[in-house]
């Protein structure tokens, strides 16, 4: 009846036993981070800067947010093979070969890796933009879920959930000045991808992605590009409605499936039902970025 969180020291001891002598554990203000001993502690800044960006976002939008109740666990495995094996044990299903990281809401851990295996070019965490962006993306999911910014166990539509996380891949909000060039490059890549995808979309794409998450299974690249474009547009141009929609999502009951009818109603209550106008507005917004 009463939850007592573990301290960072106790968590650190447990993680050291779990991952063995080839790994060490770093602690920061909000995280305990498992990493290979031979790798530098470069992950601290990535996770903490993302957490600060979530705090800044909540403050700017006047959204309720509380500090995480316990240290957040991040696991950086040594190779991609170890990463795939770990996720296979965790999720009991096939892991896509291009997966670079994930946030698992059940274990409440972010999991990624430091090096790719021999099938891919060697990648160091401090020199690989794509892997760094993935870590920020997954760290947003974790931080948002543990600070009441996002409803951890609610059936939040993926276009909104993933679109929010994609916004946080961009480090332009971060205080790390050394990340400026990387942030500009990331933002430019997202713009280019979204422009190309939007130019090919038939009328009706917006209603489709609001009604169902199916596009994330059938055409994930398209789904992610559309989600980033849509969430960025709504956040920028319909700020009050955006905040109202986020508030509605946080009121959803945990584990309750969200019907297409409810998804549609929640969206139109916040943003209206002028689908054609919204589609044109999103495309114009991205083209003008």
């Amino acid at each position: 009846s009463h939850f007592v969180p573990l301290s960072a020291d106790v968590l650190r001891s447990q993680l050291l036993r779990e991952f063995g002598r080839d790994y060490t554990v770093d602690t920061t203000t909000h995280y305990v981070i498992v990493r290979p001993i031979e790798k530098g502690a470069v992950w601290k800044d990535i996770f903490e800067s993302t957490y600060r960006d979530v705090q800044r976002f909540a403050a700017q939008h006047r959204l309720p947010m509380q500090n995480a109740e316990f240290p957040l666990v991040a696991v950086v495995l040594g190779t991609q093979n170890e990463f795939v094996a770990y996720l296979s044990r965790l999720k009991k299903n096939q892991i896509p070969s291009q997966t670079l990281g994930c946030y698992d809401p059940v274990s409440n851990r972010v999991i990624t890796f430091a090096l790719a295996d021999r099938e891919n070019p060697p990648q160091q965490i401090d020199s690989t933009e794509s892997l760094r962006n993935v870590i920020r993306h997954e760290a947003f999911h974790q931080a948002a879920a543990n600070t009441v910014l996002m409803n951890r166990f609610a059936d939040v539509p993926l276009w909104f959930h993933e679109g929010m996380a994609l916004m946080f891949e961009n480090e332009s909000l971060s205080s790390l000045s050394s990340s400026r060039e990387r942030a500009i490059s990331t933002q430019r890549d997202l713009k280019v991808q979204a422009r190309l995808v939007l130019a090919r979309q038939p009328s009706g794409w917006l209603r489709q992605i609001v009604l169902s998450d199916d596009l994330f299974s059938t055409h994930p690249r398209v789904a992610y590009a559309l989600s980033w474009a849509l969430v960025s547009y709504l956040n920028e141009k319909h700020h009050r409605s955006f905040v109202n929609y986020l508030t509605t999502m946080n009121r959803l009951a945990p584990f309750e499936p969200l019907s297409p009818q409810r998804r549609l109603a929640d969206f139109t209550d916040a943003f209206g039902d002028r689908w054609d106008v919204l589609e044109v507005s999103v495309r114009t917004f991205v083209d003008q970025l």
Side-chain angles (χ1 to χ4, degrees):
S1 61
H2 180 62
F3 175 74
V4 180
L6 298 179
S7 69
D9 288 340
V10 172
L11 268 176
R12 186 177 187 276
S13 297
Q14 289 185 0
L15 290 166
L16 286 171
R17 289 194 297 271
E18 179 181 351
F19 287 90
R21 61 184 182 182
D22 293 332
Y23 286 86
T24 188
V25 176
D26 298 318
T27 59
T28 69
T29 304
H30 300 103
Y31 293 88
V32 288
I33 304 170
V34 182
R35 64 170 175 88
I37 289 177
E38 70 273 14
K39 305 301 176 186
V42 297
W43 293 274
K44 290 182 179 181
D45 286 341
I46 303 175
F47 283 101
E48 282 294 342
S49 69
T50 306
Y51 192 98
R52 289 194 299 270
D53 283 346
V54 172
Q55 289 179 313
R56 189 176 298 116
F57 178 87
Q60 290 171 347
H61 289 69
R62 298 182 180 180
L63 292 165
M65 178 180 172
Q66 62 189 33
N67 270 323
E69 195 171 3
F70 40 77
L72 304 181
V73 177
V75 178
V76 183
L77 294 162
T79 67
Q80 190 175 30
N81 285 338
E82 290 180 83
F83 169 74
V84 171
Y86 183 94
L87 285 192
S88 297
R89 294 192 301 270
L90 195 68
K91 293 180 172 292
K92 310 297 184 184
N93 56 15
Q94 187 173 1
I95 309 301
S97 60
Q98 294 182 339
T99 301
L100 300 179
C102 80
Y103 165 61
D104 176 51
V106 178
S107 66
N108 202 25
R109 294 179 175 184
V110 168
I111 307 105
T112 184
F113 60 93
L115 294 173
D117 59 28
R118 294 181 181 179
E119 295 178 1
N120 297 300
Q123 297 175 329
Q124 296 290 347
I125 185 66
D126 56 351
S127 64
T128 304
E129 181 177 312
S130 62
L131 191 52
R132 188 181 185 104
N133 294 341
V134 166
I135 293 175
R136 284 183 57 84
H137 182 111
E138 304 304 336
F140 165 78
H141 284 312
Q142 183 186 43
N146 285 275
T147 59
V148 305
L149 180 64
M150 297 285 283
N151 194 329
R152 178 177 172 188
F153 290 115
D155 188 18
V156 178
L158 281 182
W159 70 266
F160 187 70
H161 218 297
E162 296 301 334
M164 288 275 287
L166 284 165
M167 287 202 304
F168 279 80
E169 288 187 19
N170 184 353
E171 293 186 90
S172 61
L173 295 175
S174 174
S175 60
L176 299 176
S177 58
S178 62
S179 299
R180 181 168 178 79
E181 288 186 7
R182 183 180 296 107
I184 293 171
S185 173
T186 303
Q187 189 178 45
R188 185 184 301 119
D189 288 345
L190 286 169
K191 290 177 188 175
V192 170
Q193 293 171 29
R195 285 172 184 161
L196 291 172
V197 168
L198 283 166
R200 301 188 187 113
Q201 292 308 298
S203 177
W205 67 263
L206 176 54
R207 187 182 175 92
Q208 177 188 4
I209 204 170
V210 168
L211 279 171
S212 170
D213 293 336
D214 289 349
L215 194 63
F216 284 88
S217 299
T218 58
H219 298 88
R221 291 182 182 274
V222 172
Y224 277 91
L226 293 178
S227 298
W228 175 80
L230 179 56
V231 170
S232 298
Y233 165 76
L234 294 173
N235 179 48
E236 183 72 23
K237 299 298 184 180
H238 297 272
H239 176 77
R240 187 180 297 275
S241 297
F242 178 89
V243 172
N244 289 341
Y245 184 80
L246 176 57
T247 302
T248 299
M249 294 299 99
N250 282 335
R251 290 173 179 163
L252 297 175
F255 308 110
E256 181 181 339
L258 203 62
S259 69
Q261 294 77 17
R262 176 67 187 279
R263 290 169 64 115
L264 194 66
D266 288 339
F267 185 89
T268 55
D269 285 348
F271 307 111
D273 60 358
R274 301 179 66 187
W275 301 100
D276 292 343
V277 173
L278 280 173
E279 287 182 359
V280 171
S281 298
V282 172
R283 183 170 177 177
T284 301
F285 170 78
V286 173
D287 287 342
Q288 293 177 349
L289 285 175

